[in-house]
């Protein structure tokens, strides 16, 4: 069964993807931007999979959706660690 909120989330994510593509040069100025953007791509994949699981391969796509969510969280955590993590000389 497809839920409207899942479709809206996926559509908003696609809108953000368009924004990212249109502003990719400015986003590259962020430190370690590749990790952060990869985290968004994986999250968007999870959002799309949650809509697709309503049509076919429900259990498999649900599993892959949750793998995407975990992978996205790991990438964002890695970005936070790289950008805001402990710096040498800090106490």
């Amino acid at each position: 069964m497809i839920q409207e909120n899942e479709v809206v989330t996926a559509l908003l994510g696609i809108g953000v993807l368009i924004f990212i593509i249109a502003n990719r040069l400015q986003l590259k100025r962020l430190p370690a931007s590749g990790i952060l953007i990869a985290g968004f791509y994986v999250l968007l994949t999870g959002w799309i999979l949650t809509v697709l699981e309503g049509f076919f391969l429900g259990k498999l796509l649900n599993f892959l959706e949750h793998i995407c969510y975990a992978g996205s969280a790991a990438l964002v955590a890695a970005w936070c660690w790289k950008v805001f993590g402990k710096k040498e000389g800090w106490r």
Side-chain angles (χ1 to χ4, degrees):
M1 178 194 312
I2 300 171
Q3 296 181 5
E4 294 83 7
N5 65 323
E6 294 173 344
V7 174
V8 170
T9 301
L11 290 174
L12 288 171
I14 291 169
V16 173
L17 175 65
I18 293 168
F19 175 82
I20 287 173
I21 292 170
N23 295 292
R24 64 185 174 273
L25 295 177
Q26 290 86 354
L27 290 171
K28 286 186 179 191
R29 295 188 314 194
L30 288 171
S33 64
I35 298 171
L36 185 62
I37 292 171
F40 173 76
Y41 290 158
V42 175
L43 182 62
L44 178 61
T45 301
W47 289 338
I48 292 170
L49 289 174
T50 195
V51 173
L52 292 179
E53 77 184 26
F55 294 109
F56 56 91
L57 300 173
K59 288 185 179 184
L60 174 64
L61 293 181
N62 186 51
F63 175 74
L64 292 175
E65 167 199 351
H66 288 89
I67 293 295
C68 286
Y69 292 157
S72 175
L75 285 166
V76 172
W79 179 79
C80 287
W81 180 262
K82 187 167 180 97
V83 173
F84 303 111
K86 203 175 216 183
K87 304 287 184 197
E88 212 172 295
W90 283 26
R91 292 204 180 241

